[in-house]
Amino acid sequence: MAGAADSTIDRTPREALPDGHRATVRLQPAALSVKLAVPLLTGDAIERAALSQRVLASPSARIVLLRAPAGFGKTTLMLELRQKLEASAIPTAWLTLDSADNDVGRFLYVVRAALTPLIPGLSTSADAAAGPDEIALGLIDAIAAHRAPFALFLDDFETVQGPAVLGMVRELISHLPAGGRIVIGSRNVPELGLGRLRAHGKLVEIEPTHLRFTIEETAIYLRNRRRLDLSQDDVVRLHHSTEGWVAALWLASVSLENRQDPSQFIAGFSGADTAIVEYLLEDVFSRQSEKIRAFLLRTSIVADLTPGLCDRLCGTTDSMDVLAMLQREHLFLVPIDGDSPRWRYHSMFAEFLRTQLKQRHPEQANELHRVAAKWYLEQDRPVVAIEHWLAAGDSDAALPLLARHAEPLLNQGRVRLLARWLDPLRERGLLEDSPMLQVVHAWAVLLGRGPRAAAPLLERLDREDRPGRGFDAHRRALRLLFLVLLDRTDEARDLAASLVREVPGRGSFVRGFAEVALANLTMIAGEYQEALKLADVVRSRRPDNTSGMMLALSEAAEGAVDLTQGRLRKATAHLRLAVRAGTDDASGATNGNALAGVLLAEALYEADQLLQAERLLTVYIPLIRAVGVPDQLITAHTIMARIAWRRGDRDLAQQLLAELELSGHRETLGRVVASARLERARMLTVEGRIDLAKKEIERCADPTLWDRINRLSLRANEVETYKLGAARCAVHGAQPSSSIDGLRAELDAAERTQRARRALTLRLVLAQAHHRASQPNKAMRILSKAVNFAATEGYQAAFQDEGPLLREMLRELRLRPDLLGTGALPSADRLLFLDKLVGESGAVLPTDAERRDDTSAASVPAAVALTRKELKLLALVADGLSNSELAGRLFVADTTVRTHLRNINAKLGTRSRVEAIAIARKNGLLR
């Protein structure tokens, strides 16, 4: 859970401090340029022609994976591949990843920044307010639509481990166009579904055995590149002892420079493990002057080397000269582009130096961290300062700084960072005198690891007798969230109401959280208008007093009400705003507010936008697994399972439901378990496996549970309940008429309480009941009413989810258009909507009167004719409207416009809007 940014909190480049819930800490231009900068090939690099040819000879491969430990030449080979691709007129982009890129919003931003020069239509600034879903959809759509070949190089991929980011990379891979490829350099095997890619010939793997130098390459490297006068025996011996490990060969060559007897040195070591590296590094290090050794050790504690910081650490004024000399001597220094000079040490060398510092001068390390902390404070970068105070073990200095910044960081949603800092401090008993830090720690654990992990902390806070209303308010708000996560909504609502009444301070974190929680809990109670009023209270304080998180949750509350009451289009608009809230910086980083993201995925699914819903859930499901409101868990997994089921992947659908059921058992959430079984029963019912469906229905028949669910408006069970599941099973079973009275009563209750979405599915099941009870006229009348309502709002998935029987009924209804005589849309539009439901193309061909002279018309096959919506869009394009203007005119997202334009080009065989307009006019599709 995250909030709006206080941009003064920290100006740290985002890569310095990984945190999956980062909200608005900006990625500075200098930091971005470092990530996009292509490293320089060293003058002693040798060509790996066989390896590069192996890659270039596999043009169909989507992924090239170079996997090996540090020092095997992965980056060097990637640079060689890049040069050869560029020489072949294949454009490339380079991105060096780091641990902060586990934030999916930041990852999307930097990937988009890398690809912007290659792919038309991408921009890192035009949609700065976009949420992660829009950025992801726009990025994937642009990549999929791009026809020219390109290559994206991702170096240091092992730093990326976040499930959401890995899922997004899998999405990028699956949507690469012909000629598009991603080249990955990694120390380990990334979880990208490589087995499937390998089986389909889409993967080229370069492993350590391939990267090791041959004897011939070793000779070329040592003699020609490193200019060492070595005999063939010496070359063979050194190759054997290092087993062709590039880093060891290079370090050995550095050690061999200016030695009188290289043969004696080469005979002095053997083996190819890390001991060689340690030995050679020590040899290189020991040959430096005392001044340089001191400089290297003292500056090893910081990630970025700037002259000012190095001067402070070394107590000198000539650090700029030393850094320049180290760069000239190629002593493990990597330059970083930017407005001011910056460097970093090669990771292998940095680790060695830090180890040496601890071994040689253990008393200095802590003092150096203190010096760095003070310097960063002077630069107004308190987060990095806190890191160094903690690394120094100086809790006396760290705690006051933490006390000042912990709550703002909590409001930003940086819960993983806070937990990492506060966990060891609590274990050492250093939070005893800091009640608010205890509270912040409890928030961080509850939001980051869930109720089970936080329970002992909350119990301890309940035993504390601390003065001050602030501490008590936080303690009660924590209990409120704890109850919500445990699905104890009745208790939670009472507590939220009391907090809103009793906690002063309209802009406080606790008050804002309590108001948003009360709005959502009031909606669950079925008091929709009151819930909307409460959401308005929160939004009325924007922008001064409300965090982005609170705004997002209030927008989500209204979106949930709209979904419940059947306003799909309005709900989608509100939910798009909700996922954007809190993403005020250019990176569009996610604020961890998966509630809005899951609701938006639900809205997209309802409109049958399966691909967009799936992509969105790929981003958010990993974020909600550890800490998720039950409704989030149920909705997200159920939608993903339905998408898989509709695509024919029954195994994946069942796996998702099994994961959902296991989550319910693990967290002792009975509703989650029952909902997984209920969805499994729905799938079995639609497939006609009634006996198995009945058994699943029986397994979730808990009267107490369903009595509670039936009196509430819980989002995940707004439609699917035990009663509906049993009725659907009966409809498809031997006694369809037995369910009619119960379904009619449920439908009347849903309409009476303004639960239009629930009424839609009840009407569809009731229509099927009448159809199977040999009452076709009643069935068609009920079904036509459902179609008229759904056509106005764009609901499609509800029909598709009911399976083949309903599709046959829809085809029958299509033959009786007289039954569609009432509704908000013209009859033609309702018929077109009905065509979509029954799987017809909905293609529109111009009449003879609309065509130009046949002699001037190119042929456009009927199979690729444009739909009415595409024709309307193309007509607006012909009027000169931009994508954003088109989106505004049609009330859709920019990404939807781009998708339609791509479909038009694909159907007409064109490459641009100008060409599409010309072809359409030739064929009479446009006047």
Side-chain angles (χ1 to χ4, degrees):
M1 198 174 276
D6 178 355
S7 60
T8 64
I9 278 294
D10 187 26
R11 296 174 185 165
T12 306
R14 295 173 64 94
E15 72 274 19
L17 295 171
D19 190 289
H21 284 74
R22 247 177 228 203
T24 57
V25 182
R26 295 184 180 276
L27 185 63
Q28 297 176 346
L32 179 61
S33 66
V34 171
K35 297 179 67 60
L36 303 183
V38 180
L40 297 177
L41 268 173
T42 59
D44 54 18
I46 69 169
E47 183 180 9
R48 311 298 302 276
L51 293 179
S52 58
Q53 182 57 34
R54 179 180 175 187
V55 173
L56 298 175
S58 304
S60 63
R62 292 176 179 267
I63 289 294
V64 179
L65 174 63
L66 287 76
R67 178 185 62 82
F72 270 77
K74 298 185 297 296
T75 301
T76 301
L77 179 56
M78 291 171 72
L79 291 170
E80 180 180 326
L81 287 169
R82 177 183 173 275
Q83 284 187 345
K84 293 187 175 182
L85 289 170
E86 293 275 356
S88 302
I90 296 177
T92 66
W94 188 280
L95 180 58
T96 301
L97 299 170
D98 56 65
S99 55
D101 294 318
N102 285 289
D103 178 335
V104 69
R106 171 193 161 103
F107 175 78
L108 289 168
Y109 172 67
V110 295
V111 169
R112 186 175 59 171
L115 291 175
T116 293
L118 274 59
I119 299 179
L122 282 180
S123 171
T124 57
S125 58
D127 54 351
D133 69 308
E134 292 176 281
I135 296 173
L137 297 179
L139 179 62
I140 291 172
D141 283 343
I143 289 175
H146 190 62
R147 296 193 177 187
F150 68 90
L152 171 62
F153 287 78
L154 300 177
D155 202 7
D156 292 347
F157 197 86
E158 71 278 355
T159 60
V160 174
Q161 300 169 355
V165 172
L166 293 173
M168 187 53 56
V169 175
R170 287 192 292 269
E171 282 291 304
L172 294 176
I173 294 169
S174 66
H175 289 86
L176 284 173
R181 68 179 76 188
I182 298 177
V183 182
I184 291 175
S186 177
R187 296 187 185 185
N188 52 31
V189 179
E191 297 181 10
L192 297 176
L194 298 180
R196 177 175 51 83
L197 293 168
R198 188 182 297 112
H200 289 86
K202 302 296 185 183
L203 172 66
V204 174
E205 295 175 273
I206 307 293
E207 299 181 336
T209 53
H210 305 126
L211 287 165
R212 295 181 188 275
F213 277 5
T214 64
I215 291 179
E216 292 76 14
E217 288 173 328
T218 299
I220 293 171
Y221 177 71
L222 294 173
R223 290 172 174 166
N224 298 353
R225 296 294 187 268
R226 298 300 295 158
R227 301 187 181 281
L228 296 174
D229 185 15
L230 299 178
S231 68
Q232 183 63 19
D233 287 343
D234 286 339
V235 170
V236 171
R237 190 180 299 115
L238 191 55
H239 176 269
H240 181 266
S241 61
T242 61
E243 296 185 5
W245 185 7
V246 181
L249 285 168
W250 175 62
L251 287 165
S253 73
V254 175
S255 296
L256 284 167
E257 290 177 337
N258 303 318
R259 288 189 182 268
Q260 297 300 317
D261 190 352
S263 297
Q264 182 180 1
F265 173 82
I266 292 171
F269 64 90
S270 61
D273 58 13
T274 55
I276 276 191
V277 173
E278 293 176 1
Y279 169 74
L280 294 173
L281 281 172
E282 171 63 21
D283 186 74
V284 172
F285 178 74
S286 64
R287 295 172 64 190
Q288 306 305 313
S289 68
E290 181 62 33
K291 177 182 177 180
I292 296 302
R293 288 201 299 271
F295 180 93
L296 294 171
L297 292 177
R298 296 179 72 86
T299 57
S300 65
I301 67 157
V302 294
D304 292 338
L305 302 169
T306 62
L309 177 55
C310 292
D311 281 343
R312 187 74 63 86
L313 289 168
C314 298
T316 60
T317 59
D318 62 347
S319 293
M320 181 66 201
D321 295 335
V322 175
L323 289 165
M325 183 275 293
L326 291 174
Q327 184 177 357
R328 286 195 304 271
E329 297 294 327
H330 304 293
L331 283 177
F332 310 97
L333 207 60
V334 180
I336 299 174
D337 291 335
D339 297 333
S340 57
R342 294 170 61 203
W343 291 265
R344 65 175 177 84
Y345 289 122
H346 186 284
S347 59
M348 189 168 58
F349 192 48
E351 291 173 11
F352 165 77
L353 290 176
R354 286 191 286 270
T355 301
Q356 292 296 309
L357 178 64
K358 290 180 181 178
Q359 292 176 353
R360 298 176 183 227
H361 309 289
E363 74 289 348
Q364 283 189 10
N366 289 346
E367 180 56 33
L368 290 168
H369 280 296
R370 294 188 187 98
V371 171
K374 292 175 183 176
W375 187 86
Y376 279 116
L377 276 179
E378 293 171 7
Q379 306 303 312
D380 195 19
R381 294 171 64 177
V383 171
V384 191
I386 292 171
E387 287 278 4
H388 281 287
W389 284 126
L390 293 174
D394 196 336
S395 56
D396 290 340
L399 284 170
L401 200 58
L402 266 169
R404 285 199 300 274
H405 295 288
E407 288 188 75
L409 289 170
L410 174 64
N411 202 36
Q412 290 181 24
R414 299 175 70 176
V415 294
R416 295 180 185 176
L417 175 68
L418 288 167
R420 178 165 59 83
W421 284 346
L422 296 173
D423 281 345
L425 293 175
R426 176 186 173 274
E427 290 172 4
R428 292 161 55 194
L430 297 177
L431 301 184
E432 297 297 326
D433 297 326
S434 301
M436 287 310 299
L437 285 181
Q438 293 181 46
V439 164
V440 170
H441 183 228
W443 276 111
V445 173
L446 183 57
L447 289 166
R449 300 178 202 150
R452 283 196 303 167
L457 301 178
L458 299 186
E459 291 172 4
R460 177 160 186 171
L461 288 177
D462 286 340
R463 294 194 299 268
E464 292 280 341
D465 184 16
R466 299 283 186 175
R469 299 181 64 180
F471 178 83
D472 183 62
H474 271 282
R475 182 168 54 186
R476 294 167 65 195
L478 281 162
R479 181 60 58 182
L480 167 60
L481 177 58
F482 186 79
L483 293 172
V484 169
L485 293 174
L486 293 180
D487 210 21
R488 294 159 60 180
T489 55
D490 291 336
E491 298 170 72
R493 188 186 181 193
D494 292 340
L495 182 51
S498 67
L499 279 169
V500 170
R501 286 194 307 268
E502 299 166 15
V503 173
R506 286 165 52 92
S508 72
F509 177 85
V510 169
R511 175 65 178 263
F513 176 78
E515 288 173 337
V516 167
L518 183 59
N520 281 277
L521 291 164
T522 301
M523 178 202 66
I524 288 173
E527 300 173 23
Y528 305 124
Q529 294 307 309
E530 182 62 24
L532 294 177
K533 290 179 183 177
L534 290 166
D536 283 340
V537 169
V538 178
R539 284 178 296 194
S540 68
R541 297 178 187 156
R542 186 72 174 174
D544 295 330
N545 297 352
T546 303
S547 74
M549 177 193 67
M550 302 310 175
L551 178 65
L553 292 176
S554 62
E555 289 287 350
E558 178 151 353
V561 171
D562 288 332
L563 284 175
T564 298
Q565 298 188 330
R567 296 183 291 273
L568 180 59
R569 301 186 192 279
K570 183 168 177 280
T572 304
H574 272 293
L575 293 169
R576 288 197 183 280
L577 287 176
V579 297
R580 282 172 155 179
T583 57
D584 300 330
D585 69 309
S587 70
T590 175
N591 62 357
N593 179 23
L595 172 61
V598 171
L599 285 171
L600 178 57
E602 181 182 1
L604 292 170
Y605 178 78
E606 292 280 14
D608 213 40
Q609 298 179 39
L610 304 190
L611 182 59
Q612 292 90 330
E614 183 180 29
R615 292 174 186 167
L616 194 61
L617 291 175
T618 299
V619 174
Y620 283 107
I621 281 182
L623 298 176
I624 67 174
R625 278 187 176 137
V627 184
V629 178
D631 287 284
Q632 291 175 262
L633 288 170
I634 297 168
T635 301
H637 285 82
T638 298
I639 291 174
M640 283 291 271
R642 290 189 179 189
I643 291 171
W645 182 77
R646 285 178 57 182
R647 288 178 176 162
D649 194 341
R650 301 297 197 260
D651 290 340
L652 177 57
Q654 293 305 321
Q655 177 185 331
L656 287 161
L657 294 179
E659 290 174 0
L660 177 62
E661 187 172 356
L662 180 60
S663 295
H665 285 301
R666 186 174 58 244
E667 303 297 334
T668 321
L669 296 170
R671 181 160 68 99
V672 174
V673 174
S675 296
R677 293 171 176 173
L678 194 64
E679 179 60 20
R680 195 177 292 120
R682 186 199 67 79
M683 292 179 178
L684 291 167
T685 299
V686 173
E687 290 173 347
R689 302 162 71 182
I690 304 302
D691 290 341
L692 291 176
K694 286 180 179 178
K695 291 179 180 178
E696 287 293 333
I697 292 285
E698 291 170 2
R699 294 182 69 203
C700 57
D702 181 344
T704 303
L705 173 67
W706 290 108
D707 284 347
R708 172 179 174 265
I709 294 173
N710 289 336
R711 65 180 173 79
L712 297 174
S713 182
L714 294 159
R715 186 68 240 152
N717 300 105
E718 178 60 23
V719 175
E720 296 299 332
T721 63
Y722 173 79
K723 284 185 179 179
L724 178 60
R728 187 186 281 116
C729 199
V731 167
H732 289 266
Q735 297 179 314
S737 59
S738 65
S739 62
I740 290 177
D741 290 342
L743 285 167
R744 172 56 67 182
E746 288 288 310
L747 177 58
D748 290 343
E751 291 182 324
R752 187 170 58 252
T753 54
Q754 301 180 337
R755 298 166 76 173
R757 174 60 189 88
R758 175 173 171 77
L760 173 61
T761 292
L762 286 166
R763 193 167 275 115
L764 296 179
V765 178
L766 180 60
Q768 293 175 84
H770 281 293
H771 179 86
R772 294 215 60 229
S774 301
Q775 300 171 352
N777 291 333
K778 282 187 177 180
M780 288 297 107
R781 284 197 298 271
I782 294 170
L783 183 57
S784 66
K785 189 171 183 179
V787 169
N788 281 329
F789 164 75
T792 303
E793 287 293 335
Y795 283 101
Q796 295 185 55
F799 296 84
Q800 306 297 344
D801 289 341
E802 291 301 321
L805 173 60
L806 187 67
R807 277 197 296 275
E808 289 301 318
M809 294 174 63
L810 288 167
R811 290 190 180 95
E812 183 179 341
L813 180 63
R814 181 65 178 84
L815 300 175
R816 300 178 59 184
D818 56 297
L819 293 176
L820 296 172
T822 60
L825 295 177
S827 297
D829 289 336
R830 292 200 297 276
L831 288 174
L832 182 61
F833 177 76
L834 193 52
D835 285 339
K836 291 181 181 178
L837 294 181
V838 297
E840 303 297 338
S841 66
V844 178
L845 290 173
T847 65
D848 290 339
E850 293 173 328
R851 287 189 180 276
R852 298 191 176 194
D853 190 358
D854 287 343
T855 59
S856 64
S859 62
V860 178
V864 297
L866 305 182
T867 65
R868 292 185 186 276
K869 182 176 289 186
E870 289 166 347
L871 282 172
K872 182 177 181 181
L873 176 65
L874 193 56
L876 294 173
V877 169
D879 290 337
L881 273 64
S882 67
N883 280 9
S884 58
E885 291 170 333
L886 291 169
R889 186 73 64 89
L890 298 174
F891 303 101
V892 297
D894 285 354
T895 53
T896 303
V897 170
R898 291 196 291 271
T899 300
H900 284 313
L901 290 174
R902 186 172 70 247
N903 291 340
I904 290 170
N905 281 325
K907 289 182 178 182
L908 299 182
T910 54
R911 289 175 174 266
S912 68
R913 58 174 65 198
V914 173
E915 189 179 352
I917 292 168
I919 293 295
R921 281 177 173 158
K922 283 184 179 180
N923 286 273
L925 300 176
L926 291 178
R927 293 182 183 276

